[in-house]
Amino acid sequence: MQSATLLHAANFSTLLLCMVLKFPQIFALMRAKSSAGVSFNSLLLELLGYIVFVTYQMYYDYPPPTYLEYPILIAQDAILLLLILHYNGSLKQSLLYTLLVVGGWRLLTLEKWIIDSAMSLCTFISAASKCAQLQCMWKSKDAGQVSALSWAMATCTCIARIYTTTATTGDMQVLVRFAVMTLLNMWVLLTVLYYQRQRSSSSKKED
């Protein structure tokens, strides 16, 4: 009974966090009217990873509470991508990206081996998205408009999903993915905080 309550609490808190996970990042871009520091490639890879993951879970009829947040995250990533394209003056390209994503999503469910193969690559795709964000910050030596709060919440949700996956399906591919994502999300978060602290120190010295 206690474990069932804990599982329900973990699922509910994860869903609640994910409903607003990207909001701090969205508001940061809108406030600055700039996408500086936020990697477009990182978000695009993250979106692809989310699509593969949720499609895999639905294909094998996994319990909806274990993946219910992903459609919400997909929508929020789509908004962020549109904002980046808008602030970069490339909004016309959004139609092409939309067609590619929708076509790829449809392709995933044509054959069982396709979704299985895509899921085996999902961890690498998602890991690559975090590495792309890290590379973007290392290159500019600045966190720009990257939201530390969004990355902190992403870390928390991945930790919660390690528990919920262990308690429900026990799928090793999914567990490995969440473990890797937890570590990489923490790495991005620490990098953002480091550069934000550096920027704050530089501003104080100038004053």
Side-chain angles (χ1 to χ4, degrees), residues 136-204:
C136 183
M137 290 187 290
W138 291 337
K139 188 175 180 180
S140 63
K141 290 183 170 52
D142 184 23
Q145 305 306 320
V146 181
S147 169
L149 181 56
S150 283
W151 285 100
M153 288 193 289
T155 304
C156 291
T157 58
C158 281
I159 292 171
R161 279 304 176 214
I162 290 174
Y163 169 71
T164 60
T165 303
T166 303
T168 52
T169 64
D171 190 314
M172 190 52 64
Q173 277 196 98
V174 176
L175 280 171
V176 168
R177 179 184 181 276
F178 281 127
V180 172
M181 290 307 98
T182 299
L183 293 174
L184 289 174
N185 282 338
M186 289 178 76
W187 192 358
V188 174
L189 172 61
L190 292 173
T191 305
V192 172
L193 292 173
Y194 171 75
Y195 283 125
Q196 285 181 345
R197 187 175 179 181
Q198 270 200 336
R199 185 169 56 189
S200 178
S201 299
S202 297
S203 298
K204 285 180 181 177

Side-chain angles (χ1 to χ4, degrees), residues 107-165:
L107 180 66
L108 286 173
T109 55
L110 290 180
E111 296 286 347
K112 180 180 179 295
W113 69 267
I114 296 177
I115 187 62
D116 287 343
S117 299
M119 186 59 196
S120 67
L121 295 172
C122 187
T123 300
F124 296 103
I125 294 170
S126 297
S129 77
K130 315 305 177 189
C131 291
Q133 182 57 59
L134 284 167
Q135 185 182 33
C136 183
M137 290 187 290
W138 291 337
K139 188 175 180 180
S140 63
K141 290 183 170 52
D142 184 23
Q145 305 306 320
V146 181
S147 169
L149 181 56
S150 283
W151 285 100
M153 288 193 289
T155 304
C156 291
T157 58
C158 281
I159 292 171
R161 279 304 176 214
I162 290 174
Y163 169 71
T164 60
T165 303

Side-chain angles (χ1 to χ4, degrees), residues 5-6 20 32 37 61 66 70 75 80 92 124 139 151 170 179-180 184 188-189:
T5 303
L6 187 59
V20 296
D61 293 322
T66 63
Y70 281 89
L80 276 171
K92 291 180 181 179
F124 296 103
K139 188 175 180 180
W151 285 100
V180 172
L184 289 174
V188 174
L189 172 61

